[in-house]
Amino acid sequence: MVAFGGGSIMVWGAFSFRHRTPLYHIVDNLTGQRYRDEIVAPLVLSALHQIDVQAVFQDDNATPHRARLVNNFIQQAGVTRMNWPACSPDFNPIEHLWDELDRRVRNNHPPPRNLQQLLQFLQIEWQAIPQAFCRKLVNSMRNRTAEGIAKRGGHTHY
């Protein structure tokens, strides 16, 4: 969720070493059914097929992500899903991509006049983030995981 003085916008996106999904604007509350129908089916499955048949899907433990109908759909689609520890944002590289997106919007644009303009700035900067930045995040996963295990789930330097 990205906030500005007049409200906030929720967006979804995913990335891999070589690919990035479009930034998807989530209007209203995201339910499990909406997550399946608007994000997993059209965006996640497409992205995973572009990457590799053995790609692993990583999402977090947000309630819509773990809804039974989402779990069933992902399993029926033959998608391998990474088990995800609770309360572990240090492990999730997308959090660092969100931080980068926020920095880029704040540094490269005037304060948005409205939510539509904020969404426009987010979409522009999402596309402008170099894929090399995403590769760096993917390459950091082994070290993130090792440090998280060594710190027994405590905060890491990531």
Side-chain angles (χ1 to χ4, degrees):
M1 182 158 1
V2 181
F4 89 110
S8 63
I9 288 181
M10 186 181 297
V11 293
W12 180 93
F15 71 96
S16 68
F17 192 81
R18 291 186 183 89
H19 303 281
R20 191 171 340 159
T21 66
L23 194 64
Y24 182 77
H25 179 205
I26 299 168
V27 179
D28 296 324
N29 292 329
L30 184 64
T31 64
Q33 182 172 344
R34 288 190 60 215
Y35 181 62
R36 179 196 64 193
D37 296 346
E38 297 174 27
I39 295 172
V40 176
L43 300 173
V44 171
L45 294 183
S46 173
L48 290 173
H49 290 131
Q50 285 180 359
I51 296 168
D52 187 325
V53 293
Q54 295 181 332
V56 175
F57 178 47
Q58 176 188 347
D59 58 358
D60 59 25
N61 292 319
T63 302
H65 300 178
R66 298 301 167 172
R68 182 175 297 134
L69 64 107
V70 173
N71 292 336
N72 291 343
F73 181 81
I74 287 174
Q75 186 176 19
Q76 289 170 359
V79 171
T80 302
R81 189 186 221 178
M82 182 183 289
N83 290 325
W84 199 248
C87 302
S88 55
D90 288 355
F91 289 151
N92 197 339
I94 194 76
E95 298 302 332
H96 299 278
L97 194 55
W98 295 138
D99 290 343
E100 177 66 11
L101 179 61
D102 180 68
R103 270 190 300 278
R104 293 177 71 91
V105 167
R106 291 177 192 279
N107 292 338
N108 298 337
H109 301 276
R113 292 185 307 272
N114 52 49
L115 292 175
Q116 189 60 38
Q117 189 176 52
L118 175 59
L119 180 59
Q120 180 183 11
F121 293 165
L122 289 167
Q123 290 171 331
I124 289 167
E125 294 303 332
W126 177 257
Q127 291 301 316
I129 294 172
Q131 193 62 30
F133 184 84
C134 297
R135 284 193 290 273
K136 177 181 166 190
L137 292 174
V138 170
N139 286 334
S140 72
M141 282 302 294
R142 179 168 286 154
N143 291 338
R144 284 172 195 276
T145 304
E147 188 172 333
I149 290 168
K151 298 221 174 175
R152 296 184 176 182
H155 288 290
T156 69
H157 84 278
Y158 287 97

